[in-house]
Amino acid sequence: MTFAKNNFFKRSVSFILTIVMVLSMGAISAFAQDTKETKKYNVPIKSLTTAAPIKPVKDAFAKAFGNSVTVTVNEDGTKTARIKNHHMVINFFGKNYDANVSSIVDADESTEGVQKPVIHSTKEEVYTNGIGSSEQVKITVPDEFSIPLNLDKKGSQKISITVDFMDAMKGGKPSPTTVTLTLDTENVSVDTSELKSLIDEYSKISNENYTSESYAKLQAAIEKAKGVVEKPESLDNVSSMIKELKAAKDGLKYQGADYKAVDEALAKIPADSSIYTEESWAAVEAAKNAVVNGLDKTQQNKVNAYAAAIEKAVKELVLKDANYTEVQKAINSVPQDLSKFTDESVMVLKDAIKAVQYGLKADKQNEVNAMAAAITAAVAGLKEKDDNSSNNDEVIDIKNLKDGIYEIPVALWNATQDKPSMAASSFNGTARIVVKDGQKTVYIYTKPMTFGAITASLQEMKVQQVNGKWVEAKVETKSKDGNPNCFSFELDELKEYLTAKVNPHVDMMGNQDIDARLKFNLGAIKMISDNADEKPLTPPAESGNSSANGISPNTGNDSSVVIWYVLLITSAGALLTMLSINKRKPRENENKQ
């Protein structure tokens, strides 16, 4: 009976021990399985003991590795323990001595194929140079290190180390000692250090360069991760959060680069390429075609370089020389013998030829064309001398005109420069003056002027009297298309130049007066009728291409009619360019940090 009881007791004890061992191994296996994925755990240190018999040494060693270690279980099932090295203070007989774990002896071994300890970081510490010494010696020791983890069934593992203070006690010669690290495998917790590190890192990312939507997703992930750190439900929960947080960071999208400078540079490209050399225009085209749309903010310097290249190419455009072929043709058409023509008409021709300005560039081609037109008109306006003129002793007194109707050469002249207008064909070159009872009424005849595809007519005219008063010219007749072709106004005194304002009423240019002058050839005035009651509404016949005297209408330097139309064409081109730019596809880029 006693034997049976004893046998039962032994078997019961063995069963209980087996259960304890299984439970203990189960706790260890919580982080010891082949997970096919690297995982980390926080494991409390149950004890760190040394074989040294002295209690102060035992007490100091017990705290050398802190309260816990981080255990990493690799994909292949191998394990490492990352340990934080702490400074030690050993109290002998009331006096404190500084000490540190100065090396992990296993780290110096080099057995092939065996996982070795790794020093992750070091720190500066001091130790006391032996018992009874007050000398503090500086030393560099491990701060954090990892060792291969091979726990026994009790969760323990021996580690060979050296301690600077103990080495000093033995004359400075390294004296390895063995400590036993025992982990509390029953209280394993999830390690959140990596997640905390990511939260700290990503919280420093500014929203300056990223789209609001992608940045908002990152912020939401950070807040969610903070909750997981505060209450980690499981290792999978933490691992999943790490992946989610990294995905949110990788999903950040940069804002699009600012293309404003590029758009402004493109708008400066001239609409008419024909007036520039092929080489310089090709440089503009190359700079324009090099622009890549949709770049993000990290490539702003590249976008700025596009704008700078376009600006440079536009600035370096080289104008072609103006074409003087028509000018030369007009000069070649001048009769060899001018002696049979009146001095007045010959003088107009000579003035037109003298007004030719050579060396202009292609952007002044309209002015060159006007010079040719002025010469052509002057040739057409040459008047042969009257054989009986020498017997005509009557001289017309400009200041005391008799009642009747007179014809006189007239032109619309430049407001500030002594030269004919570029719009040489807009005026009939002959005006009529009706004088009755000393009152003078001037009749000016106009016609449409054409520049390329643009045709316009003068709609209004004002003339300034000698006394400074402005007189509004009256529209006497209109053409079939409704445009004025005869104006009249009262004149207090007939002079060579009269200050005037004209208005072509072009819609896109606005209803704006243009400064000009009326130029009369006083020496060529002649009476054509003594009937002062007649209203001469029918324009005199013209010979050739323009007025009888070859003088053509013109406006001021910066307000000539032709310049207005050139500006109109340029403005339309610029408008089309801007509309094209505004249709550029939205710029997006999926580049990430």
Side-chain angles (χ1 to χ4, degrees):
M1 186 70 176
T2 302
F3 173 77
K5 287 182 179 180
N6 288 339
N7 190 39
F8 174 77
F9 176 75
K10 288 181 181 178
R11 282 185 294 171
S12 297
V13 170
S14 297
F15 178 72
I16 292 172
L17 288 175
T18 301
I19 292 176
V20 170
M21 288 181 64
V22 169
L23 290 176
S24 176
M25 290 179 66
I28 295 173
S29 66
F31 59 87
Q33 299 301 313
D34 184 358
T35 63
K36 301 303 181 184
E37 180 181 358
T38 300
K39 296 185 178 182
K40 293 183 179 181
Y41 303 85
N42 281 327
V43 183
I45 294 176
K46 182 179 290 185
S47 64
L48 182 64
T49 60
T50 176
I54 307 173
K55 186 176 183 304
V57 174
K58 290 180 177 290
D59 293 342
F61 270 62
K63 301 177 181 179
F65 293 164
N67 298 319
S68 64
V69 300
T70 300
V71 176
T72 299
V73 180
N74 301 306
E75 295 179 6
D76 60 359
T78 60
K79 297 172 286 298
T80 59
R82 185 161 179 148
I83 300 171
K84 178 75 173 178
N85 189 17
H86 292 260
H87 182 71
M88 297 183 290
V89 177
I90 303 174
N91 186 284
F92 281 135
F93 308 109
K95 184 175 180 179
N96 291 334
Y97 295 90
D98 292 296
N100 306 278
V101 173
S102 54
S103 69
I104 313 302
V105 176
D106 292 345
D108 297 328
E109 296 180 358
S110 58
T111 305
E112 186 175 354
V114 178
Q115 187 180 7
K116 308 300 180 187
V118 176
I119 306 298
H120 297 290
S121 60
T122 60
K123 60 181 178 178
E124 299 298 320
E125 287 287 359
V126 295
Y127 68 90
T128 306
N129 196 13
I131 292 180
S133 174
S134 298
E135 180 185 0
Q136 299 289 94
V137 180
K138 292 182 179 180
I139 187 174
T140 300
V141 299
D143 180 32
E144 281 191 315
F145 62 93
S146 293
I147 60 170
L149 193 62
N150 297 293
L151 299 177
D152 59 19
K153 294 179 180 181
K154 296 180 180 179
S156 299
Q157 179 171 330
K158 296 184 181 300
I159 306 172
S160 182
I161 62 173
T162 62
V163 178
D164 45 24
F165 171 70
M166 299 182 71
D167 291 346
M169 291 175 57
K170 297 183 178 181
K173 182 179 180 180
S175 301
T177 185
T178 299
V179 292
T180 300
L181 173 66
T182 303
L183 301 182
D184 185 357
T185 58
E186 295 180 0
N187 292 295
V188 176
S189 62
V190 178
D191 177 63
T192 60
S193 60
E194 182 179 357
L195 186 57
K196 289 178 182 178
S197 178
L198 291 177
I199 292 172
D200 291 341
E201 179 184 349
Y202 295 170
S203 294
K204 296 175 183 177
I205 297 176
S206 169
N207 66 342
E208 179 181 0
N209 294 325
Y210 302 101
T211 62
S212 56
E213 182 180 0
S214 65
Y215 189 77
K217 289 181 179 179
L218 175 62
Q219 294 307 301
I222 289 174
E223 291 304 314
K224 183 178 178 181
K226 289 179 179 178
V228 172
V229 168
E230 185 175 349
K231 293 181 179 180
E233 296 176 1
S234 66
L235 181 63
D236 289 339
N237 175 228
V238 174
S239 298
S240 176
M241 189 67 246
I242 289 174
K243 291 179 180 179
E244 183 178 342
L245 187 55
K246 286 182 177 180
K249 189 263 183 184
D250 292 341
L252 285 173
K253 294 180 180 179
Y254 284 108
Q255 296 177 10
D258 185 358
Y259 279 76
K260 181 180 179 181
V262 172
D263 293 343
E264 291 176 350
L266 289 172
K268 293 178 182 179
I269 297 177
D272 185 6
S273 63
S274 64
I275 63 175
Y276 300 99
T277 62
E278 292 182 3
E279 183 180 1
S280 65
W281 187 258
V284 172
E285 287 292 311
K288 180 178 71 173
N289 295 334
V291 175
V292 177
N293 294 317
L295 298 183
D296 62 49
K297 200 166 185 178
T298 63
Q299 297 171 298
Q300 186 63 52
N301 287 341
K302 193 172 185 179
V303 175
N304 294 344
Y306 294 150
I310 296 171
E311 293 268 7
K312 181 176 182 292
V314 170
K315 186 177 181 180
E316 294 178 353
L317 278 170
V318 178
L319 286 164
K320 295 178 181 177
D321 292 332
N323 188 340
Y324 282 79
T325 302
E326 294 302 316
V327 172
Q328 194 57 49
K329 285 182 180 179
I331 293 175
N332 292 341
S333 70
V334 175
Q336 293 290 327
D337 183 10
L338 296 176
S339 62
K340 62 181 179 178
F341 301 105
T342 63
D343 293 342
E344 291 82 2
S345 63
V346 171
M347 183 58 67
V348 171
L349 175 59
K350 289 181 177 180
D351 286 345
I353 295 174
K354 186 179 179 181
V356 174
Q357 182 181 355
Y358 290 96
L360 297 181
K361 295 295 182 180
D363 60 333
K364 303 292 185 182
Q365 187 64 51
N366 283 336
E367 294 184 20
V368 175
N369 294 343
M371 297 170 194
I375 296 171
T376 301
V379 171
L382 285 171
K383 292 184 178 181
E384 293 189 4
K385 294 177 180 178
D386 187 354
D387 291 339
N388 298 320
S389 61
S390 59
N391 298 324
N392 185 5
D393 297 328
E394 183 178 0
V395 178
I396 297 177
D397 185 357
I398 295 298
K399 294 186 179 295
N400 298 289
L401 295 174
K402 296 178 181 180
D403 285 4
I405 301 176
Y406 297 82
E407 284 189 353
I408 185 170
V410 67
L412 189 64
W413 206 249
N414 190 284
T416 58
Q417 298 182 30
D418 191 19
K419 66 179 183 178
S421 166
M422 290 183 289
S425 61
S426 63
F427 260 36
N428 185 312
T430 302
R432 290 196 178 105
I433 302 175
V434 176
V435 181
K436 184 175 182 180
D437 300 328
Q439 179 63 50
K440 293 178 282 295
T441 303
V442 180
Y443 289 82
I444 302 292
Y445 308 96
T446 62
K447 56 186 176 179
M449 48 188 172
T450 302
F451 300 94
I454 300 175
T455 300
S457 299
L458 298 182
Q459 303 294 322
E460 293 183 59
M461 182 185 300
K462 299 176 184 177
V463 180
Q464 189 176 36
Q465 304 287 346
V466 174
N467 62 10
K469 181 180 178 181
W470 285 91
V471 175
E472 185 84 31
K474 177 183 177 182
V475 177
E476 293 285 358
T477 61
K478 293 185 177 181
S479 63
K480 293 181 180 180
D481 58 6
N483 288 309
N485 57 13
C486 179
F487 293 87
S488 70
F489 57 87
E490 301 295 327
L491 184 64
D492 57 354
E493 181 180 340
L494 180 60
K495 302 190 327 180
E496 182 180 7
Y497 292 102
L498 292 180
T499 302
K501 293 179 181 292
V502 294
N503 193 329
H505 280 205
V506 177
D507 292 339
M508 289 188 68
M509 292 162 45
N511 188 9
Q512 184 174 348
D513 290 334
I514 303 168
D515 293 332
R517 290 185 293 171
L518 299 183
K519 180 179 181 179
F520 295 98
N521 187 345
L522 302 180
I525 191 171
K526 64 181 180 179
M527 178 181 279
I528 61 171
S529 173
D530 58 4
N531 183 6
D533 293 324
E534 183 182 351
K535 215 173 187 183
L537 301 180
T538 303
E542 287 190 292
S543 60
N545 197 28
S546 187
S547 62
N549 68 341
I551 307 175
S552 56
N554 189 49
T555 62
N557 288 338
D558 56 356
S559 59
S560 120
V561 173
V562 68
I563 293 177
W564 279 88
Y565 292 119
V566 172
L567 289 175
L568 174 60
I569 295 172
T570 304
S571 299
L575 178 60
L576 290 174
T577 300
M578 292 180 68
L579 288 174
S580 175
I581 292 170
N582 289 335
K583 289 181 181 179
R584 180 183 293 116
K585 293 181 180 179
R587 308 175 177 104
E588 295 183 359
N589 188 279
E590 299 299 327
N591 292 344
K592 302 180 179 70
Q593 181 174 322

